[in-house]
Amino acid sequence: MHDLSKQKDIAILVGIDFGANTNINDDKEDKTLATAKREIDIEVSINELAELAKTAGVEVVGKLIQKRSKPDSATYIGKGKIEELEDMVREYEPNMIIFNDELSPSNLRNLADKFDCAIIDRTTLILDIFATRASSAEGKLQVELAQLKYRASRLTGLGKMLSRLGGGIGTRGPGETKLETDRRHIRSRVHNLEAELKEISKNRETMRRKRDRQGAFLAALVGYTNAGKSSILQYFAAKDDKEIYIADKLFATLDTTIRRVNLANGAEILLSDTVGFIEKLPHHLVNAFRSTLDELNHADLLLFVMDASDENRDMHQNVVFKTLSDLGLNEKKLITIYNKIDKEVERPLPASTRSAKSVEISALTGAGCSKLLDAIEEVYNAGKIRLNVLIPYSESKLVSYIHDNCEIIEESHDESGTYFEIIADDEAKNKLAKFKVTPI
């Protein structure tokens, strides 16, 4: 058995242009534009697959694209392209072939019979990257659960691949020994993982309720992978915060990170970074990370981060909005952040279709970041008011109420009672109205 983890991984990428047979207007100019758009879309997708491969430590030596309306039921690509792929394999001698879409069990089995190298699909590649990136206990459990559920549905299609995959993509990270287990063993492990994650989810819910009682305002960074979410979080957190990992690569960080940030009005909010989205994000991952992504449901504000210098930003925006829609987050308040304006940016930047406000910043240089805080503060202040109240010692329950439901800017004591400077919503304002005082 060859240990691929100790060899240099070399791959050929294979993809399908599904728009090839789309009905278009007979006008010759329209046909040219539609064809050009299709070629751009598949080229973008294949290039992204190459970036994913690079992130996983794989050298790409060739690419093969076929135009067809749907995958071949047996081998994903047609007979003619299979022969072309065989020629490429003889020429480049890769140890794996990576397909741009999710392969069916029969696809895996038939392709494994034709090629003496590992057959990897986009989902397996992304799962592998997640396996190497997860650092928290919860993240590792979530990735292992996604890996096992994906592999369990494909055990019958792996065939002789099991006898020659000793390492490398598709076998690394949590659950790497599970490829050779039977379905019963996998089901048992999945059950245990789901139980562990359920327990972690309970703890997360407890912490979330505590934040809600304290009136904490949560702004969550969302966006396409490598748009600069972690860089923004680090800019507003302590500059020497070594726990925030930043790298110019896809899925550099997976685990949710939360930091406290002060607004200009003195209020303190929570700013969180979440896992990035990507085209064709495996649904197994979305389901496994659902408890983490559920944090977005409890966010008061979504900060949608886009790479302003990315020529594919419009496509990335559509992917992010679709993912947010799938998670039921269409109604959330949202600010669009165009990051990386320190780079060469094609202008004008489009107005966001989802948010009333957009901000241009550079997390690297700090340009525009004060405007971002102002935009967040505007949302934060909506429906809230700054109050100064003096609570007599006889009204001790109101002191507890303030601690649980208001943001406390200042608290002090004298012979009359407890003095608070707070930020309160309408309910709290009405409840504390008769204790309001004019500050000196």
Side-chain angles (χ1 to χ4, degrees):
M1 185 185 297
H2 299 290
D3 188 352
L4 295 183
S5 64
K6 295 181 181 180
Q7 297 179 9
K8 183 178 181 180
D9 286 326
I10 300 173
I12 293 174
L13 308 183
V14 180
I16 290 179
D17 177 1
F18 291 110
N21 293 331
T22 303
N23 292 326
I24 55 178
N25 196 299
D26 287 337
D27 185 276
K28 191 171 292 186
E29 184 177 351
D30 287 348
K31 284 185 177 180
T32 302
L33 290 173
T35 302
K37 184 180 184 301
R38 288 197 302 266
E39 289 174 351
I40 290 172
D41 288 346
I42 186 61
E43 200 63 35
V44 168
S45 188
I46 283 291
N47 287 342
E48 186 173 80
L49 184 65
E51 281 297 311
L52 287 167
K54 179 182 176 182
T55 299
V58 179
E59 179 187 353
V60 175
V61 294
K63 300 175 183 177
L64 179 67
I65 296 173
Q66 181 175 32
K67 294 184 177 182
R68 56 186 300 141
S69 59
K70 61 181 181 179
D72 183 88
S73 59
T75 54
Y76 180 75
I77 53 176
K79 182 179 178 182
K81 286 295 181 182
I82 285 289
E83 294 174 356
E84 189 176 334
L85 183 57
E86 288 172 337
D87 292 338
M88 293 177 69
V89 168
R90 281 191 290 270
E91 179 181 355
Y92 296 112
E93 297 183 342
N95 55 10
M96 64 181 64
I97 304 172
I98 304 177
F99 291 80
N100 196 35
D101 295 286
E102 196 170 287
L103 297 175
S104 68
S106 60
N107 287 159
L108 281 169
R109 181 175 60 252
N110 294 330
L111 289 167
D113 288 340
K114 289 180 177 296
F115 298 99
D116 191 27
C117 56
I119 304 300
I120 306 295
D121 61 12
R122 187 184 181 98
T123 296
T124 301
L125 181 61
I126 293 176
L127 287 170
D128 180 81
I129 293 171
F130 270 57
T132 59
R133 291 284 183 268
S135 57
S136 69
E138 182 181 18
K140 291 176 181 178
L141 291 174
Q142 288 169 326
V143 174
E144 182 179 357
L145 179 62
Q147 286 178 321
L148 289 177
K149 285 189 172 182
Y150 186 64
R151 292 172 188 170
S153 64
R154 280 155 176 76
L155 283 179
T156 56
L158 290 172
K160 66 181 183 181
M161 287 177 67
L162 286 174
S163 66
R164 62 167 179 255
L165 279 181
I169 291 175
T171 66
R172 293 187 294 212
E176 62 184 345
T177 63
K178 303 301 187 287
L179 264 176
E180 298 179 9
T181 61
D182 58 23
R183 290 185 182 279
R184 181 181 58 80
H185 189 180
I186 290 180
R187 281 197 300 267
S188 174
R189 180 59 182 157
V190 165
H191 176 76
N192 292 336
L193 287 172
E194 289 176 337
E196 289 184 64
L197 286 170
K198 187 175 182 180
E199 193 62 33
I200 292 175
S201 182
K202 286 182 182 177
N203 296 334
R204 184 188 295 278
E205 183 61 32
T206 300
M207 294 174 63
R208 187 185 296 142
R209 284 199 300 267
K210 183 179 179 181
R211 286 204 312 263
D212 291 342
R213 286 198 303 271
Q214 293 173 343
F217 182 95
L218 177 63
L221 294 159
V222 297
Y224 212 78
T225 181
N226 206 29
K229 299 185 301 299
S230 296
S231 297
I232 293 174
L233 183 66
Q234 187 184 56
Y235 179 85
F236 290 113
K239 295 296 186 292
D240 59 350
D241 194 338
K242 303 300 183 184
E243 293 184 12
I244 301 176
Y245 177 72
I246 297 174
D248 186 15
K249 58 178 68 173
L250 304 183
F251 299 117
T253 54
L254 296 182
D255 302 309
T256 300
T257 307
I258 300 178
R259 293 293 183 270
R260 297 182 181 275
V261 175
N262 290 316
L263 301 178
N265 66 0
E268 186 180 72
I269 68 166
L270 299 178
L271 183 62
S272 75
D273 182 19
T274 59
V275 61
F277 303 144
I278 196 170
E279 183 193 18
K280 303 175 185 177
L281 185 66
H283 70 274
H284 296 283
L285 271 177
V286 174
N287 290 336
F289 277 75
R290 186 163 292 279
S291 62
T292 301
L293 293 172
D294 275 347
E295 284 288 310
L296 300 178
N297 284 308
H298 297 269
D300 299 283
L301 174 65
L302 299 184
L303 301 175
F304 170 37
V305 183
M306 293 182 68
D307 181 350
S309 65
D310 194 331
E311 60 183 10
N312 302 311
R313 65 191 178 211
D314 291 344
M315 186 192 80
H316 293 173
Q317 175 180 263
N318 293 336
V319 170
V320 172
F321 283 166
K322 183 182 184 305
T323 306
L324 291 177
S325 177
D326 292 343
L327 293 170
L329 299 170
N330 279 337
E331 303 303 317
K332 283 288 181 183
K333 295 177 183 176
L334 185 142
I335 293 175
T336 298
I337 302 172
Y338 287 106
N339 189 28
K340 305 186 184 182
I341 59 169
D342 53 286
K343 296 185 177 182
E344 186 176 341
V345 176
E346 182 181 341
R347 293 182 181 276
L349 291 169
S352 174
T353 57
R354 275 280 313 274
S355 60
K357 185 177 287 292
S358 60
V359 183
E360 299 178 20
I361 74 165
S362 168
L364 181 65
T365 67
C369 287
S370 60
K371 292 182 180 179
L372 173 57
L373 282 183
D374 291 342
I376 295 173
E377 186 174 327
E378 187 177 320
V379 176
Y380 175 85
N381 287 333
K384 292 190 176 182
I385 188 171
R386 196 165 182 142
L387 288 178
N388 297 278
V389 294
L390 181 62
I391 308 299
Y393 290 118
S394 59
E395 301 284 351
S396 58
K397 288 184 179 179
L398 285 179
V399 174
S400 298
Y401 175 83
I402 290 173
H403 279 280
D404 288 343
N405 296 279
C406 303
E407 167 130 9
I408 300 172
I409 298 172
E410 183 183 339
E411 178 179 356
S412 61
H413 304 272
D414 60 25
E415 66 277 4
S416 303
T418 305
Y419 171 81
F420 289 98
E421 185 177 351
I422 60 174
I423 294 177
D425 58 19
D426 286 337
E427 179 183 344
K429 180 182 71 174
N430 294 332
K431 196 176 187 71
L432 302 170
K434 69 177 182 178
F435 302 102
K436 182 180 177 182
V437 297
T438 302
I440 299 174

